[in-house]
């Protein structure tokens, strides 16, 4: 297969980061098929590549990975048949490092003296380069350019005897955000970083009692599993035929779940940390209307991510909610991305104005975020061209002023519109009659808090505040080298 030039929506960005979905199954004869279904439900978390590693009771592992969507790689019964066993782990990758070489597609697998080991990681490690340099110096041979490979080498060199202890040893050395699922001949393991930045949930199949781990509850729903609970921040769950054991190797500290999962990233039908994402987005929209209502005739969401917030806004503002923009769901990302010129057209390919709804109206557009401003500018222009008399843009997040280093794909800071411009300038740049973002306190209120407690914020909101709760060692490490000198290859 040809290597794609690059795959991130922010395609000239070369910062390493990963948005991903993970699934793990223990105790079902259909482990690989269930994992594939779970990955399918988590497709929104990563569309570039998918992989599954299964394990037979004998400790023999099987792997299948490929670029593209879950359905492209696991839609064939013969592929699933080639992944036998009662346990499996899977991964959807939103590759953003400028290469989607197969060597980077997870789960990663390695043979150890204790047997096979597979790991799939959602999140981003902030000291991976620093660790990698030290590991390479002592003889570790890296096969990929993904930060997740440091887990494998740290486990390999650990002096602890059990696999779980070796994994804990590795987790104590990494910094950053991780929700991971790992598999060895003895257990399925799930782990979340001490601040619980990325999600991970536990489910159980009613028939047979197989355990399921997944990034979001929508993956439990698709396989018919009952939601048991979230893996807690800093918790490690070890699952085997004896049941589930919970370990807490880290000192407890206040958690910092990613606030952007609520705003944009998680699927609206998922329940995250006990709260339905859909309801949360509607509450954010209502709060946004309370903060920045404007006289208008119609509230129009920028689909799909702006829909629940726009519904909440319209209900609060007592204005009609209409689908004034229609999204074409059949636009392949690879089609819209290869060149700058095509990317420019891309927004039009994806969205079109519904003139019958918009013409002669004062329109409030609701979207979840402005990153570079490309989408907003195009949408505003399109809505005006369809005859809107006024176009007001309302955003259900505060201005995105900082890059994420914990697993949400964002361009470097200089490319973020809000890092360089105030709201009035942004309104002018996107061509809107007015622009407003929800306030940080308003966002926290919509999430059931009394505003943001600056001394101990309940969420990771670094993209809006620059308050990075986990150290960014690699950023400060001037001796950084490229993660690999092997140029993106068909490896
Ligand atoms: P931009 O056009 O660069 O301002 O991007 C804003 C649009 O991208 C919004 O409509 C969001 O729904 C969407 N968006 C926000 N964050 C991400 C992300 N991490 N990955 C992909 N799309 C995103």
């Amino acid at each position: 297969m040809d290597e794609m030039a690059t795959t991130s929506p922010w395609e000239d960005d070369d910062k390493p980061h990963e948005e991903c979905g993970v699934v793990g199954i223990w105790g079902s004869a259909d482990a690989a098929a269930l994992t594939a279904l779970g990955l399918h439900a988590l497709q929104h978390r990563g569309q570039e590549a998918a992989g599954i590693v299964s394990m037979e009771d004998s400790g023999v592992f099987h792997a299948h990975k490929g670029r593209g969507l879950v359905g492209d790689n696991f839609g064939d019964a013969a592929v699933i048949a080639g992944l036998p066993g009662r346990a499996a782990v899977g991964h959807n990758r939103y590759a953003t490092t400028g290469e989607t070489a197969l060597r980077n597609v997870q789960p990663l697998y390695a043979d150890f003296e204790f047997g096979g080991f597979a790991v799939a990681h959602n999140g981003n490690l902030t000291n991976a380069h620093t660790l990698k340099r030290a590991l390479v110096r002592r003889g570790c041979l890296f096969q990929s350019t993904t930060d997740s490979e440091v887990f494998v080498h740290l486990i390999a060199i650990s002096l602890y005897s059990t696999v779980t202890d070796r994994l804990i040893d590795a987790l104590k050395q990494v910094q950053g955000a991780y929700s991971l699922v790992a598999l060895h001949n003895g257990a399925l393991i799930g782990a979340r970083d001490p601040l619980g930045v990325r999600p991970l949930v536990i489910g159980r199949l009613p028939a047979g009692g197989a355990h399921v781990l997944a990034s979001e509850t929508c993956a439990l729903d698709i396989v018919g599993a009952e939601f048991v609970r979230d893996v807690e921040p800093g918790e490690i769950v070890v699952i085997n035929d004896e049941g589930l054991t919970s370990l807490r190797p880290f000192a407890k500290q206040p958690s910092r779940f990613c606030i952007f999962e609520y705003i944009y990233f998680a699927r609206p039908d998922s329940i995250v940390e006990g709260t339905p994402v859909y309801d949360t987005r509607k509450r954010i929209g209502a709060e946004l209307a309370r903060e920045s209502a404007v006289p208008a005739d119609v509230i129009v969401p920028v689909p799909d991510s702006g829909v629940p917030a726009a519904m909440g806004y319209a209900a609060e503002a007592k204005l009609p909610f209409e689908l004034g923009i229609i999204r074409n769901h059949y636009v392949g990302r690879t089609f819209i991305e290869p060149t700058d010129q095509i990317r420019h057209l891309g927004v039009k390919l994806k969205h079109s104005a519904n003139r019958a709804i918009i013409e002669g109206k004062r329109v409030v557009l609701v979207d979840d975020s402005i990153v570079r401003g490309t989408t907003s500018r195009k949408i505003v222009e399109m809505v005006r061209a369809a005859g809107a008399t006024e176009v007001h843009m309302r955003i259900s997040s505060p201005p995105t002023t900082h890059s994420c280093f914990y697993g949400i794909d964002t361009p470097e800071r200089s490319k973020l519109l809000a890092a360089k411009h105030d709201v009035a300038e942004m309104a002018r740049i996107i061509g809107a009659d007015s622009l407003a973002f929800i306030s940080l306190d308003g966002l926290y209120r919509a999430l059931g808090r009394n505003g943001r407690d600056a001394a101990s914020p309940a969420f990771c909101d670094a993209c809006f505040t620059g308050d990075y709760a986990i150290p960014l060692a690699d950023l400060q490490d001037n001796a950084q080298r490229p993660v690999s000198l092997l140029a993106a290859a068909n490896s």
Side-chain angles (χ1 to χ4, degrees):
M1 267 188 282
D2 286 343
E3 181 62 33
M4 280 184 281
T6 181
T7 48
S8 165
W10 330 116
E11 51 284 306
D12 48 355
D13 175 22
D14 59 1
K15 181 164 67 74
H17 37 198
E18 317 212 343
E19 292 173 336
C20 302
V22 296
V23 179
I25 306 274
W26 182 278
S28 167
D30 295 320
L34 295 174
T35 303
L37 281 171
L39 291 179
H40 179 71
L42 297 174
Q43 191 75 81
H44 60 288
R45 299 186 73 86
Q47 297 99 46
E48 308 308 339
I52 295 178
V53 173
S54 72
M55 185 189 71
E56 295 186 74
D57 288 353
S58 60
V60 172
F61 286 73
H62 303 267
H64 185 83
K65 305 178 193 185
R67 278 175 285 227
L69 302 177
V70 177
D72 299 338
N73 288 293
F74 296 101
D76 187 343
V79 171
I80 298 294
L83 294 166
R86 293 188 310 118
V89 287
H91 188 263
N92 276 341
R93 175 175 161 84
Y94 199 131
T96 53
T97 52
E99 63 162 330
T100 317
L102 261 185
R103 63 186 171 143
N104 282 341
V105 178
Q106 299 190 32
L108 299 177
Y109 174 84
D111 287 306
F112 291 105
E113 52 178 315
F114 58 75
F117 181 86
V119 62
H121 165 215
N122 169 214
N124 192 55
L125 303 181
T126 52
N127 66 341
H129 295 251
T130 315
L131 286 172
K132 179 172 176 179
R133 233 194 3 260
L135 286 162
V136 168
R137 211 177 286 134
R138 59 178 293 177
C140 297
L141 304 174
F142 277 74
Q143 299 295 310
S144 76
T145 59
T146 156
D147 59 344
S148 315
E149 196 182 339
V150 299
F151 288 121
V152 174
H153 295 286
L154 290 172
I155 289 167
I157 62 168
S158 174
L159 298 175
Y160 285 89
S161 52
T162 71
V163 183
T164 307
D165 285 343
R166 285 174 177 231
L167 176 62
I168 291 171
D169 189 21
L171 296 181
K172 291 206 162 171
Q173 294 171 71
V174 303
Q175 292 171 352
Y178 56 82
S179 277
L180 55 86
V181 292
L183 187 61
H184 69 95
N185 186 13
L188 168 70
I189 302 176
R192 267 178 99 190
D193 66 76
L195 296 185
V197 175
R198 304 255 72 86
L200 190 65
V201 297
I202 306 169
R204 272 201 104 163
L205 288 177
H211 278 94
V212 185
L213 295 174
S215 296
E216 294 181 37
T217 59
C218 62
L220 303 183
D221 296 337
I222 196 171
V223 300
E226 282 159 8
F227 171 70
V228 175
R229 64 176 177 87
D230 290 282
V231 175
E232 289 182 12
E235 185 186 18
I236 294 173
V237 292
V238 180
I239 295 165
N240 54 27
D241 290 342
E242 273 79 65
L244 183 151
T245 311
S246 165
L247 306 170
R248 288 168 196 280
F250 298 100
K252 202 168 164 58
Q253 50 183 309
S255 67
R256 298 289 292 272
F257 183 69
C258 168
I259 208 160
F260 204 66
E261 291 270 355
Y262 283 112
I263 293 166
Y264 169 81
F265 205 44
R267 225 171 77 161
D269 56 333
S270 283
I271 300 187
V272 172
E273 302 238 305
T275 313
V277 173
Y278 184 78
D279 290 356
T280 302
R281 288 187 187 159
K282 280 172 75 175
R283 280 202 306 278
I284 297 172
E287 187 68 36
L288 182 60
R290 281 192 286 278
E291 288 186 354
S292 58
V294 58
D297 302 308
V298 64
I299 309 302
V300 169
V302 179
D304 292 326
S305 49
V307 172
M311 290 171 77
Y313 187 108
E316 180 66 25
K318 300 194 172 44
L319 288 169
F321 166 93
E322 298 287 357
L323 299 181
I325 298 169
I326 304 301
R327 177 166 169 191
N328 183 335
H329 285 102
Y330 308 99
V331 180
R333 293 186 57 213
T334 48
F335 178 53
I336 63 170
E337 282 173 12
T339 68
D340 241 28
Q341 206 184 353
I342 299 291
R343 170 158 60 92
H344 206 60
L345 285 176
V347 180
K348 277 190 185 158
L349 290 174
K350 207 170 180 181
H351 295 113
S352 61
N354 186 354
R355 181 174 278 274
I357 293 298
I358 284 169
E359 197 162 20
K361 305 259 180 62
R362 295 169 299 170
V363 176
V364 173
L365 293 172
V366 181
D367 200 359
D368 64 275
S369 56
I370 293 182
V371 182
R372 297 209 254 211
T374 320
T375 309
S376 302
R377 197 158 51 215
K378 286 277 138 203
I379 297 267
V380 169
E381 189 184 306
M382 186 186 290
V383 168
R384 266 198 215 289
T389 54
E390 290 174 26
V391 185
H392 303 276
M393 180 64 98
R394 295 293 177 269
I395 303 293
S396 65
S397 64
T400 301
T401 49
H402 291 75
S403 302
C404 177
F405 298 99
Y406 306 139
I408 297 281
D409 180 22
T410 37
E412 66 184 53
R413 192 153 185 232
S414 63
K415 307 231 170 71
L416 299 173
L417 199 64
K420 292 182 293 187
H421 303 283
D422 64 22
V423 175
E425 284 169 354
M426 290 172 80
R428 192 180 41 74
I429 291 167
I430 67 167
D433 293 294
S434 78
L435 168 67
F437 295 80
I438 193 168
S439 69
L440 204 51
D441 282 331
L443 177 59
Y444 272 76
R445 278 195 296 277
L447 287 159
R449 307 299 199 282
N450 286 327
R452 182 179 194 266
D453 174 0
S456 177
F459 299 98
C460 176
D461 52 20
C463 49
F464 310 131
T465 60
D467 174 7
Y468 292 104
I470 305 170
L472 304 174
D474 286 341
L475 265 197
Q476 276 120 37
D477 179 354
N478 294 326
Q480 260 196 65
R481 284 165 147 264
V483 277
S484 172
L485 298 174
L486 176 62
N490 299 330
S491 49

